[in-house]
Amino acid sequence: MRAMLLQAVGRPLVMTDLPEPKAGPGQVVVRVRSCGVCRTDLHVVDGELPDAKYPLVPGHEIVGHVIALGEGVSDYTLGDRVGIPWLGWSCGACRFCLAGEENLCDQARFTGYQIDGGYADRAVVDQRYCFRIPDGISDVEAAPLLCAGLIGYRAYRMAGAASVLGLYGFGAAAHILIQVAVAQGMRVHAFTRPGDAAAQDFARRLGAVWAGPSDALPPEPLDAAIIFAPVGNLVPTALKAVRKGGRVICAGIHMSDIPAFPYHLLWGERMVKSVANLTRQDAIDFLALAPLIPVRTHPVPYALQDANRALDDLRAGRLQGAAVLVTESA
């Protein structure tokens, strides 16, 4: 199989021929058609997340078709179109798994991090952690739903009953989530890097009632704010923007250090929460909801061999929508 391989932290990915993968018990082999390029991939490539395996095939927003079944697989048949997300395995026996909180499993393993991912034309996945992709969504459009969509949706549910919602960082996740929030009647305020007029215009086109720089206060108090940008300084900034009793949800897997801030920003029963990974129920619920909105992911396609360019464009903030690697005509 062909794969873009990360051999060590900070090094460019290299196109490599690897042995054809085999499905073990309970696993399926997927012919990859598309794979989203996520900010978490940058954290892995840049060494900001510990305990990655090397060499590694990154990528955890995978869409493809089942081409081989391991022993004991009963949930899928050959040809099924499936998506593979970040959470790739959990123990199934700990207190978290038994409570439906497998996203918190201490033994969990993650796609494109400890398990080879989708920057390749084949991928192997535990049948418990792949999900059918709804009809009517192309492979390229579906890929960003597998992380930007799922993590955004989990953060959105944590935000609670918010009529006025702020989104800090208007990238792949926020541009998906704003469509859900607007469809459900929320007033959305979008915060971008200062000076990023293009992202602010994009947010307005998707329904934001206001869009401006992340260091500005919105024109009205927020019921909740979701921080997608991996910038710890935004936590006290968002606390200033939310009303008493409001929530600030930190939606990234990695964030720079949160600075000290005065207690009065938290006082008034404001709350700060983090999002950790996703559960299978998140995937089931969101993939059922997305076609009803309908969510459009505005993919920016790149050939598999151009993965380094896609990562550079994401790192530099040159994207509107979501970068997607295409391994075959999709």
Side-chain angles (χ1 to χ4, degrees), residues 30-283:
V30 173
R31 183 189 301 278
V32 178
R33 302 294 301 277
S34 63
C35 183
V37 178
C38 178
R39 184 160 294 277
T40 301
D41 298 339
L42 282 181
H43 297 319
V44 172
V45 170
D46 294 343
E48 294 171 325
L49 296 180
D51 305 322
K53 84 174 191 72
Y54 300 102
L56 171 71
V57 180
H60 58 274
E61 296 179 322
I62 306 167
V63 177
H65 292 85
V66 175
I67 59 171
L69 307 173
E71 180 182 353
V73 170
S74 58
D75 293 343
Y76 297 97
T77 59
L78 296 179
D80 284 348
R81 188 169 71 138
V82 298
I84 303 171
W86 170 246
L87 182 57
W89 184 89
S90 64
C91 76
C94 69
R95 60 178 293 184
F96 298 113
C97 288
L98 294 176
E101 299 175 332
E102 65 268 21
N103 59 311
L104 303 179
C105 175
D106 290 331
Q107 305 303 315
R109 299 172 65 210
F110 302 96
T111 311
Y113 183 32
Q114 288 107 13
I115 302 169
D116 282 333
Y119 289 17
D121 55 21
R122 303 284 192 281
V124 178
V125 61
D126 186 320
Q127 70 166 340
R128 298 176 301 163
Y129 287 100
C130 57
F131 304 92
R132 287 183 171 83
I133 300 298
D135 294 336
I137 305 175
S138 74
D139 298 333
V140 174
E141 290 176 323
L145 300 178
L146 273 302
C147 185
L150 294 182
I151 295 299
Y153 184 62
R154 184 169 181 82
Y156 177 70
R157 295 207 289 194
M158 282 189 176
S163 297
V164 184
L165 178 68
L167 302 178
Y168 285 81
F170 204 80
H175 102 279
I176 291 172
L177 184 56
I178 191 174
Q179 298 174 62
V180 178
V182 169
Q184 295 184 347
M186 294 187 182
R187 293 171 54 82
V188 179
H189 298 258
F191 299 82
T192 74
R193 295 177 183 178
D196 193 348
Q200 293 166 21
D201 289 343
F202 186 39
R204 294 187 195 99
R205 292 199 303 272
L206 291 175
V209 297
W210 177 90
S214 59
D215 55 1
L217 286 173
E220 60 182 324
L222 306 175
D223 296 323
I226 301 174
I227 301 176
F228 291 111
V231 181
N233 287 335
L234 290 176
V235 173
T237 299
L239 283 169
K240 292 177 185 177
V242 299
R243 61 165 174 78
K244 292 179 182 179
R247 299 184 179 192
V248 173
I249 310 299
C250 302
I253 193 171
H254 171 81
M255 179 178 275
S256 60
D257 290 346
I258 300 171
F261 57 86
Y263 176 65
H264 74 82
L265 293 181
L266 185 64
W267 187 80
E269 299 190 353
R270 295 175 178 88
M271 180 184 299
V272 177
K273 297 187 70 173
S274 70
V275 172
N277 314 310
L278 68 142
T279 68
R280 285 172 286 183
Q281 195 61 50
D282 292 328

Side-chain angles (χ1 to χ4, degrees), residues 35-38 61 143-144 172 298-302 310-311 314 319 321-325:
C35 183
V37 178
C38 178
E61 296 179 322
H298 303 86
V300 180
Y302 296 77
L311 288 166
L314 177 59
L319 289 165
V324 179
L325 303 181

Side-chain angles (χ1 to χ4, degrees), residues 19-25 27-29 68-70 124-125:
E20 186 77 13
K22 305 296 183 185
Q27 295 180 328
V28 299
V29 178
L69 307 173
V124 178
V125 61

